[in-house]
Amino acid sequence: MRCALGDYCKDAAMTWCFRLRFNLAGGVRLQSTEAHWEIQSGEHVIGVTPADGADSLQQSRRLVARGSAYASKSDALAAGERWRDRITVAFAMVNIGADFGDRAPGGGFTEAGLEIAQKASGLRALNDVHGLMAFRCEPQPVFLSMSGEANRISSSHSLATAFASVLEADVTMKPQQRLAYDLYAASQNEASADAQFIMLMMALETLIEPQRRAQDVQVLVDDMVQMTRDSGLPHSTKQSIIGSVKWIRQESIGQAGRRLAEQQLGDKAYFDEPVGKFFTRCYGLRSTLVHGNAERPSRDAVGLRAAHLQTFVCDLIVAIVLNDGE
């Protein structure tokens, strides 16, 4: 059986549809004045339409791909995953970024809320999920979403007190301290918890200056360098190994970051953890996210730690700047 977008299928009530909502990256639009695209693959046709009621594809960043007439929910979800991969690779071929909702929050309406909306409209109501979902094709549903923006209000009294402190200290900032603040500020524009967390860790790393290890370590490194030079390895390989070995002369970023946090923030605690332990756990999470570990922690776990990391980064920047001025 084949159902094109919007077509009614004889046995549609018994079939499943998939719906994949995705958001194009900021500043990106599809160059099409059409209201929808239809793409055929085998016995199925998927449609791509604006998710926000826009008149054409090029007017919207929020788009939906939808396929119909699958025999089961699992078949519909599997088809949605295949189409997500196809869309991803096609977009990559033309340098388009999109968020397919892997780390997005779930729908905002509870079952009770959906039921109220359904009774009020007389139409079947489902959450407008950012990402992939499957549902019975008939009766045709409406998709409900809610939006809002949380704002944090800074008290004028607190800001006046802060200005008094910086004026008294006559503070100046070094270039890497300004860069750390710029990255911290930019992180607040990120909707993705992962991206916000990584940018905050980048801000931290601009402040970290690894120190040289003990003398016995320096001697060991010298021996390793000499052994490499005396080996029969190709010159290019020798140079690569020597360059890597020389990094051992200094602390690792993890060690240096923990030391910096403990020196500057003392006995403060974040996320109910001492500063050194908090930094170490954040650095471990950063490694999990950026080194391709497929088993990522949940979005909520990353977001919660990012919220505490934001305060940690601010406190560390302030402590370093004020201590530099002493």
Side-chain angles (χ1 to χ4, degrees):
M1 186 190 325
R2 185 172 72 195
C3 295
L5 181 73
D7 287 352
Y8 177 76
C9 296
K10 181 178 179 181
D11 298 320
M14 301 301 294
T15 62
W16 288 81
C17 293
F18 77 77
R19 181 179 187 268
L20 174 65
R21 183 167 75 75
F22 55 95
N23 297 343
L24 298 177
V28 174
R29 294 290 188 277
L30 299 183
Q31 190 175 4
S32 173
T33 58
E34 297 179 5
H36 70 268
W37 285 346
E38 288 188 359
I39 309 170
Q40 182 174 339
S41 174
E43 296 184 349
H44 291 276
V45 175
I46 72 154
V48 180
T49 61
D52 54 9
D55 293 332
S56 68
L57 291 164
Q58 70 180 9
Q59 294 178 352
S60 180
R61 286 182 53 225
R62 298 173 67 246
L63 302 175
V64 165
R66 179 168 166 175
S68 305
Y70 297 94
S72 67
K73 181 177 182 179
S74 60
D75 286 348
L77 289 173
E81 291 286 357
R82 288 194 299 273
W83 275 104
R84 180 248 170 88
D85 290 344
R86 292 165 179 168
I87 294 170
T88 298
V89 176
F91 279 1
M93 291 173 73
V94 293
N95 197 23
I96 290 176
D99 176 6
F100 290 92
D102 289 345
R103 311 288 281 176
F109 287 90
T110 64
E111 289 297 324
L114 292 172
E115 186 176 347
I116 291 171
Q118 187 163 314
K119 288 180 178 178
S121 66
L123 300 172
R124 179 179 170 214
L126 298 175
N127 268 306
D128 178 17
V129 173
H130 181 186
L132 178 62
M133 63 182 294
F135 54 93
R136 289 284 189 185
C137 294
E138 293 291 337
Q140 288 281 344
V142 293
F143 295 92
L144 305 181
S145 64
M146 60 176 63
S147 62
E149 182 175 310
N151 293 296
R152 179 164 50 89
I153 307 300
S154 180
S155 107
S156 57
H157 174 72
S158 297
L159 190 57
T161 302
F163 268 116
S165 297
V166 298
L167 290 172
E168 182 180 356
D170 193 22
V171 301
T172 57
M173 298 180 75
K174 295 177 180 178
Q176 68 267 31
Q177 294 162 357
R178 294 193 189 102
L179 175 57
Y181 179 81
D182 287 347
L183 290 167
Y184 150 79
S187 75
Q188 298 184 19
N189 293 321
E190 295 292 338
S192 161
D194 293 348
Q196 184 180 79
F197 181 86
I198 294 301
M199 289 196 72
L200 288 167
M201 288 304 299
M202 288 170 62
L204 272 181
E205 291 188 42
T206 66
L207 299 170
I208 295 172
E209 298 179 359
Q211 295 182 355
R212 289 175 66 86
R213 298 180 190 267
Q215 184 59 34
D216 55 347
V217 177
Q218 306 300 323
V219 172
L220 178 60
V221 172
D222 289 340
D223 291 344
M224 294 170 68
V225 169
Q226 192 58 50
M227 288 175 61
T228 304
R229 286 178 175 149
D230 294 341
S231 72
L233 295 170
H235 177 73
S236 59
T237 303
K238 287 182 184 181
Q239 294 303 110
S240 177
I241 293 173
I242 290 170
S244 298
V245 168
K246 283 184 176 180
W247 279 104
I248 305 175
R249 295 185 187 279
Q250 295 181 316
E251 300 170 296
S252 68
I253 296 296
Q255 291 172 323
R258 183 178 183 117
R259 174 182 51 76
L260 178 67
E262 291 174 341
Q263 286 177 349
Q264 296 290 342
L265 299 176
D267 59 358
K268 286 188 176 182
Y270 299 84
F271 210 3
D272 293 327
E273 297 167 355
V275 289
K277 183 177 182 180
F278 177 79
F279 172 84
T280 298
R281 289 194 170 175
C282 286
Y283 195 70
L285 179 55
R286 171 249 183 221
S287 297
T288 298
L289 292 173
V290 304
H291 291 309
N293 191 325
E295 296 298 324
R296 290 187 289 177
S298 71
R299 175 192 179 278
D300 290 345
V302 176
L304 185 58
R305 188 158 287 271
H308 291 272
L309 181 60
Q310 188 179 94
T311 303
F312 177 87
V313 171
C314 270
D315 289 351
L316 188 60
I317 292 171
V318 170
I320 291 173
V321 172
L322 293 180
N323 288 336
D324 278 354
E326 291 179 353

